[in-house]
Amino acid sequence: MVKSTPSIDFSSYIKTSNGTEDLSSEIGTKLSQSGFLIIENLGINQKYLENLFKASKAFFDMNEEEKNQFAYSSAESNFGYQAINSERLNSGSHPDLKETLTLRNPGQYPVENFPSAEFRQALLLFYLDVLEASRKIFFCIENYLGITKGFFNSLHTGENITIRLLHYPNNSEPLNNQFGAGAHTDYGAITLLFSEGIGGLEIFIDNEWIQLNSNIDEVIINTGDLMEIWTDGHFPSALHRVTTSPGRSRRFSIAVFLDPDSDVVVESLNHSRCDDENSNYETVLVSEFLSRRISDSHK
């Protein structure tokens, strides 16, 4: 089933304070319903995004020997290239039919960790730009929840923020119950997903899988496990997956995972929008939580 999801226009964010308040209400309401929303005019420099997509395609078009020079070493470092069938996001399914390049703050790594200096520069420009845009989203969430402005940004300095380049080939023959990305939830606070309009993303709502489509100039936003804990379930961490379809155009996407710093302790904010006074979620230390979730996907 295909779901038509109207996007939220973020252009009013920088125009009027009333616009910001309206956006906060709209964003909070949509996230509370499904954990997903679509945004346009977030302020991302389209040239930076286009350049990173070009760099991503050039990397994935390299041969395996060349790509494996940047191979993923461990869940602890969470950095590097993983080939098709290397990851299993759904432990009850087959390995995923995708290849990925997981990257961190390019300003903290030498150029040797990247395919080229030009690649590193394209990533850095996009990284800095998307961090600035994410502050707007966090502010709207804080405004909606009625918590201190800057709360989320102060806990997301970049230590665990990850950019993941993804490629779903069109020549794979899936086994029964095999997907480009198996059904899973994201681990952190929020995820920003950029794509080029190629379908495949599905979210699980009301006991059915619904295809979520976006245009090339839109960003898909979803809340993750840690945001669900913080809001005591008010913002759900929705189950989602990417389907495969032999012969369909190759799917490239860029996911930005806004995960809190390692020493952050995440517990229910017990804000006024929660129905219960007592939290239904355990308190977690981010470093331990992320390490466990990432390791589980590689078994």
Side-chain angles (χ1 to χ4, degrees):
M1 178 178 178
V2 179
K3 184 178 180 63
S4 177
T5 303
S7 59
I8 297 176
D9 188 347
F10 237 78
S11 59
S12 63
Y13 177 94
I14 58 175
K15 292 182 179 179
T16 67
S17 59
N18 288 336
T20 302
E21 292 173 5
D22 291 343
L23 286 174
S24 298
S25 176
E26 190 172 1
I27 286 173
T29 299
K30 285 185 178 294
L31 287 177
S32 68
Q33 292 171 344
S34 68
F36 273 82
L37 57 85
I38 299 175
I39 287 177
E40 60 178 324
N41 297 318
L42 183 57
I44 302 293
N45 186 309
Q46 287 300 303
K47 190 64 177 177
Y48 295 165
L49 180 61
E50 290 171 6
N51 287 341
L52 188 54
F53 266 120
K54 289 179 182 178
S56 173
K57 292 173 184 176
F59 175 80
F60 288 121
D61 282 342
M62 294 164 61
N63 62 49
E64 287 300 311
E65 183 178 356
E66 292 173 315
K67 287 184 285 192
N68 279 323
Q69 295 178 24
F70 307 94
Y72 192 92
S73 59
S74 68
E76 287 70 32
S77 65
N78 197 29
F79 192 108
Y81 171 70
Q82 291 170 279
I84 293 172
N85 292 321
S86 296
E87 187 175 50
R88 191 194 308 263
L89 289 175
N90 181 353
S91 60
S93 184
H94 296 287
D96 298 341
L97 289 174
K98 68 177 187 300
E99 53 179 347
T100 64
L101 182 61
T102 303
L103 304 162
R104 312 295 285 276
N105 181 356
Q108 296 180 351
Y109 291 84
V111 67
E112 292 79 13
N113 290 67
F114 304 90
S116 67
E118 293 77 16
F119 183 105
R120 181 176 180 267
Q121 180 64 12
L123 179 67
L124 179 61
L125 291 173
F126 174 78
Y127 175 84
L128 295 174
D129 209 36
V130 80
L131 285 192
E132 184 62 31
S134 71
R135 293 190 179 97
K136 303 175 187 178
I137 301 170
F138 275 137
F139 173 73
C140 287
I141 291 175
E142 292 160 354
N143 197 28
Y144 174 79
L145 296 175
I147 60 176
T148 303
K149 181 179 179 181
F151 172 81
F152 288 118
N153 282 315
S154 69
L155 305 178
H156 294 77
T157 64
E159 181 182 356
N160 289 317
I161 292 175
T162 303
I163 295 179
R164 204 166 205 213
L165 310 182
L166 300 112
H167 172 221
Y168 301 87
N170 60 355
N171 59 352
S172 300
E173 291 293 337
L175 302 171
N176 185 38
N177 195 34
Q178 187 173 29
F179 296 88
H184 67 285
T185 59
D186 290 345
Y187 313 149
I190 59 175
T191 301
L192 285 68
L193 181 67
F194 303 83
S195 65
E196 299 178 300
I198 303 298
L201 176 64
E202 295 183 341
I203 59 177
F204 194 65
I205 300 177
D206 297 328
N207 293 316
E208 65 176 329
W209 287 102
I210 295 174
Q211 186 174 326
L212 185 62
N213 291 333
S214 63
N215 296 320
I216 192 170
D217 56 349
E218 296 174 322
V219 186
I220 294 177
I221 311 291
N222 67 280
T223 43
D225 298 338
L226 294 178
M227 184 62 78
E228 181 172 306
I229 295 172
W230 261 319
T231 61
D232 215 34
H234 189 72
F235 290 160
S237 183
L239 201 64
H240 55 285
R241 68 188 184 187
V242 176
T243 62
T244 59
S245 179
R248 183 172 63 193
S249 297
R250 294 196 294 172
R251 175 185 169 93
F252 294 90
S253 60
I254 301 170
V256 181
F257 299 102
L258 295 165
D259 298 346
D261 297 344
S262 293
D263 62 355
V264 172
V265 175
V266 177
E267 58 186 347
S268 170
L269 295 169
N270 287 323
H271 53 76
S272 59
R273 294 181 184 274
C274 288
D275 295 328
D276 301 319
E277 294 184 2
N278 298 318
S279 175
N280 296 312
Y281 294 85
E282 294 182 4
T283 298
V284 299
L285 178 64
V286 169
S287 59
E288 295 176 354
F289 181 82
L290 292 180
S291 177
R292 182 174 69 252
R293 291 299 308 274
I294 294 171
S295 296
D296 286 347
S297 69
H298 297 144
K299 292 179 179 179

